[in-house]
Amino acid sequence: MEFQTVIIILVSSYLIGSIPTAYVIGRLHGKNIFELGSGNMGANNTARVLGYHWGAAVWVLDGCKGITAMLIARQLVGGDDRSAAMIISAVAAVMGHNWSIFATLLTGHIRGGKGAATASGTWVLLVSPVLIAVALISWAAIVALTRYVSLAVLTIVLLVSLFITATFFFDRGDPIYILYVLVPAMVFYRHRVNIRALLTGTERRLGERAK
């Protein structure tokens, strides 16, 4: 892959990932998502502020950011480089969502989401539908048992991401596929407050709405 192509993939994927979906939907309802609930521009906070259906809409749209970025990256290269291009794109898209240039310009502070929805969108092009179905069922089971959405998200993102990294690396033997471990790393970093809250028993459970 040529260096300039890699730069184009990184920049375009980052910008697509940076689109502040939750902020736009919140504004359409006369609310600033950055000033409500946790202040996070993600599906979980949107669900608490606007309701579950809008939270689901943000999740799907944020997932589509990952899919779109990867499809564009795949079209920019050919042959064996396509998988590597999609891995690079996936990492950049999640980075864009987590540290959004558009959200930063809107608020004057470095802002973004937590990356789980965008990460899950990348799975559509990297793993089988069966694995995605298993991941969704497992997520639902963890939420049903604990009512901790963050715990379910972190568990599934970690397991699926490690599976993707290992599968591509051992199948193709190219170190570039190890880059995908940055996806769960970024998701966990952005969930660090949630992780501390889970450990101390102060994390909000599903159904506890933001005020």
Side-chain angles (χ1 to χ4, degrees):
M1 217 184 314
E2 295 182 353
F3 177 75
Q4 58 265 38
T5 302
V6 173
I7 296 301
I8 292 171
I9 290 172
L10 285 170
V11 173
S12 62
S13 298
Y14 172 82
L15 291 175
I16 291 171
S18 289
I19 297 171
T21 309
Y23 174 81
V24 173
I25 288 179
R27 278 304 191 192
L28 291 174
H29 289 81
K31 298 180 182 295
N32 186 343
I33 200 71
F34 294 121
E35 298 175 352
L36 298 169
S38 66
N40 179 63
M41 66 167 209
N44 198 21
N45 194 40
T46 303
R48 288 195 177 107
V49 174
L50 298 176
Y52 296 133
H53 55 299
W54 287 112
V58 168
W59 185 283
V60 171
L61 291 172
D62 283 345
C64 286
K65 294 193 299 187
I67 296 171
T68 302
M70 292 171 68
L71 287 174
I72 292 173
R74 189 169 66 179
Q75 293 302 311
L76 291 174
V77 299
D80 295 336
D81 286 338
R82 284 187 168 181
S83 295
M86 288 195 296
I87 293 292
I88 294 170
S89 173
V91 173
V94 174
M95 184 180 295
H97 178 78
N98 287 6
W99 295 278
S100 166
I101 183 63
F102 301 126
T104 299
L105 291 173
L106 285 167
T107 64
H109 302 282
I110 298 175
R111 302 295 293 266
K114 297 182 179 178
T118 304
S120 69
T122 70
W123 302 345
V124 173
L125 299 176
L126 295 174
V127 300
S128 70
V130 173
L131 180 58
I132 293 176
V134 171
L136 289 173
I137 293 170
S138 301
W139 176 88
I142 295 172
V143 172
L145 290 171
T146 68
R147 289 178 55 219
Y148 286 128
V149 175
S150 57
L151 178 62
V153 166
L154 291 168
T155 301
I156 301 307
V157 166
L158 178 63
L159 294 177
V160 175
S161 296
L162 290 179
F163 175 84
I164 290 171
T165 303
T167 299
F168 274 84
F169 176 69
F170 289 112
D171 181 50
R172 313 288 173 86
D174 190 335
I176 197 169
Y177 297 112
I178 298 177
L179 281 176
Y180 198 82
V181 299
L182 293 175
V183 169
M186 289 187 289
V187 172
F188 269 67
Y189 177 76
R190 291 294 286 165
H191 278 83
R192 62 193 184 280
V193 174
N194 302 87
I195 293 171
R196 285 196 294 268
L198 285 167
L199 292 173
T200 58
T202 57
E203 175 74 339
R204 282 187 295 188
R205 296 177 185 267
L206 183 67
E208 296 178 359
R209 294 177 63 89
K211 296 181 181 180

